[in-house]
Amino acid sequence: MLFGNAMLFTNATLVTMNPTRDIVTDGAIAVEGPRIVQVGKSKDLRGSYPEEQTIDLGGKLVIPGLVDTHVHLAQAMLRGSADELTLIPWLCERIWVLQGNYTEADGYASARLCIAEMLKSGTTTFLEAMLAHRYGFDGIAQAVEESGIRACLGGIVMDVGTYATQTAAMHPGMIESRESLRGVVAMHDKWHGRADGRIHVWFGPRTPGGVTPELYREMSAIARERNMGITMHLAEVEADRTFLQSEYGLSPVRYAERVGLLGPRSVLVHMIWLDDGDVALLAQTGTHVSYNPSSNAKLGSGVCDVQRLLDRGVNVALGCDGAPANNDYDLIREMKFGSLVQKAVSRNATVLPAETMLEMATLGGARALGLEREIGSLEVGKRADFAVVDLHRAHTVPAFRPVSTLVYAATGGDVDTVVVDGRIVVSGGVLRSMNEAEILAEANARAAQVYRRAGLSGAMTRSAWPVL
């Protein structure tokens, strides 16, 4: 018998991601409060819980909630703002200029837009990379609390307004002092553990060139003292490696080790320009990597050698990055591209199969965030975070191999129901925890205002083809 806020979800195919990777046909999940209390066959659980609220999932696929390990909430409103640009002009000419004109209200509106998209496409947990002070940390944390999603919020740490080999390139509206470190500590004191434990506060320092070694070391010491996570872009473009070799005579990962950035509470993002010594050091220190294939491909940055990392024992998770670098926050789409690009560059059709991609998007993400005991699989005692995907559609039928169909044929638009902490936040494809129409209207209006303030109104509607 279930008590209190209890539900029984029946008649589904469950991809459990448990240690033996069981797939349960005609499966059911019993949920009490925020946790899973039983997983099994529908006939067995119906008999055990005859009086509980029952939701028949109509034969759909249930997967653990997806975990996006690299997100820029503030960039959701900048979708399509910097297409066909490489990273440094992308940042210096568009993204920093636009973000440098944000208000806190803009930050809140963009966060809600991003969260709405993630929830509707099956992402139940995410790691935000760099929340600048101007975006309004309080408002963004409130958006997380209101929406029902689970979040690790990386507050920005910086003290230099440059990027790698570029000098005087950052928009003044994006430059912060070393006091940014104290600001993140204050937000940790205020928000960490809030929203019934769904909010975690991390450090999100800028890439080397934007932070002095002394500030990195100070931040790393505080992170160890407080058991805080650290996430940072590293080795994304060749300029990152060139800068660190020129300035310090070190590779990206060796530099990160020198300033205290490696370890099991660190998630390093992109990680394309690595040598074998870098990979060995990541494995030795238990440092996690977030693989962002669409962003890296779109910006022409290169391709992370994921198989090499996995072969050496490095935990690799998956991330979408931001809307201007990917154009969506759909982790189901990301699984497909993440697999295919590795097959293409290696000319090996066997690398990163569908099962590995789903592991990266669930358990790999949970491990990276230090939450593997709470999320990442459908197991008794874990948080009731899961997504229900409708594979009975023209582009997904037949689905004899559901994991393969999910990764190679489905999209986030096929998600029907999403549950976080035992709360239904999406049902019938409709967002239930927030007003989607209001979110979209506000994001459109505020994005137009940001473009105008940045002096980039022309870029907002510029088309390569004539618009009549």
Side-chain angles (χ1 to χ4, degrees), residues 72-80 102 109-115 117 322-324 329 443:
H72 290 280
L73 293 168
Q75 291 182 3
M77 290 202 314
L78 306 183
R79 198 185 316 270
Y102 265 48
S110 189
R112 293 211 300 163
L113 177 64
C114 184
I115 290 168
E117 182 181 355
Y329 295 90

Side-chain angles (χ1 to χ4, degrees), residues 113-227:
L113 177 64
C114 184
I115 290 168
E117 182 181 355
M118 287 192 288
L119 285 175
K120 291 190 67 180
S121 55
T123 292
T124 57
T125 301
F126 71 91
L127 171 59
E128 154 66 43
M130 289 189 299
L131 284 180
H133 177 76
R134 70 178 307 114
Y135 307 153
F137 196 107
D138 287 330
I140 287 169
Q142 287 166 9
V144 169
E145 189 166 30
E146 295 158 2
S147 70
I149 203 166
R150 194 179 307 282
C152 298
L153 301 177
I156 199 165
V157 176
M158 69 172 297
D159 57 351
V160 183
T162 61
Y163 176 81
T165 55
Q166 304 297 302
T167 58
M170 185 172 285
H171 186 278
M174 295 301 294
I175 296 174
E176 299 192 33
S177 72
R178 65 180 295 108
E179 286 304 306
S180 56
L181 174 64
R182 303 302 161 198
V184 179
V185 170
M187 291 300 99
H188 186 264
D189 289 338
K190 182 174 182 178
W191 284 103
H192 188 73
R194 292 271 295 271
D196 298 319
R198 287 185 290 105
I199 296 177
H200 304 255
V201 177
W202 283 41
F203 286 119
R206 283 210 175 275
T207 307
V211 185
T212 58
E214 294 74 22
L215 187 57
Y216 275 135
R217 292 189 182 100
E218 184 179 351
M219 180 200 71
S220 298
I222 293 171
R224 288 191 293 273
E225 178 186 309
R226 289 175 169 250
N227 193 30

Side-chain angles (χ1 to χ4, degrees), residues 15 69 118 172 210 248 253 307 315 328 333 393 411 414 438:
V15 180
T69 54
M118 287 192 288
Y248 304 102
V253 176
Q307 194 61 55
N315 178 51
D328 68 63
R333 283 194 204 178
R393 300 189 175 188
T411 74
D414 299 317
E438 176 186 288

Side-chain angles (χ1 to χ4, degrees), residues 221-418:
I222 293 171
R224 288 191 293 273
E225 178 186 309
R226 289 175 169 250
N227 193 30
M228 290 176 68
I230 298 171
T231 188
M232 186 182 76
H233 303 68
L234 189 67
E236 181 176 3
V237 291
E238 191 171 15
D240 292 329
R241 186 171 67 178
T242 300
F243 168 75
L244 289 168
Q245 187 63 47
S246 172
E247 290 292 313
Y248 304 102
L250 296 169
S251 71
V253 176
R254 291 181 183 88
Y255 174 81
E257 179 192 35
R258 178 169 291 186
V259 295
L261 294 171
L262 302 187
R265 294 290 286 144
S266 293
V267 178
L268 300 180
V269 185
H270 303 305
M271 304 299 279
I272 296 168
W273 296 87
L274 307 178
D275 60 32
D276 286 341
D278 288 332
V279 175
L281 195 49
L282 292 171
Q284 177 187 328
T285 57
T287 303
H288 309 276
V289 168
S290 177
Y291 171 44
N292 291 242
S294 292
S295 170
N296 298 152
K298 186 167 185 280
L299 293 171
S301 302
V303 179
C304 174
D305 190 345
V306 174
Q307 194 61 55
R308 176 171 61 159
L309 292 166
L310 293 175
D311 288 345
R312 296 297 293 270
V314 178
N315 178 51
V316 182
L318 197 60
C320 284
D321 208 336
N326 183 324
N327 294 64
D328 68 63
Y329 295 90
D330 182 344
L331 211 57
I332 295 179
R333 283 194 204 178
E334 202 69 18
M335 286 193 287
K336 177 177 181 176
F337 184 71
S339 173
L340 299 191
V341 72
Q342 295 288 326
K343 297 177 192 301
V345 298
S346 67
R347 289 185 285 184
N348 181 352
T350 69
V351 300
L352 295 199
E355 291 79 7
T356 299
M357 295 310 303
L358 186 56
E359 287 176 339
M360 288 167 57
T362 54
L363 285 169
R367 290 190 194 104
L369 304 185
L371 297 175
E372 65 271 28
R373 293 184 180 180
E374 294 287 301
I375 62 172
S377 61
L378 305 178
E379 297 183 79
V380 172
K382 285 199 171 183
R383 295 280 174 172
D385 288 15
F386 55 88
V388 181
V389 187
D390 185 358
L391 297 184
H392 192 67
R393 300 189 175 188
H395 61 282
T396 52
V397 168
F400 301 133
R401 295 178 58 219
V403 175
S404 176
T405 303
L406 172 74
V407 172
Y408 294 133
T411 74
D414 299 317
V415 171
D416 177 85
T417 300
V418 178

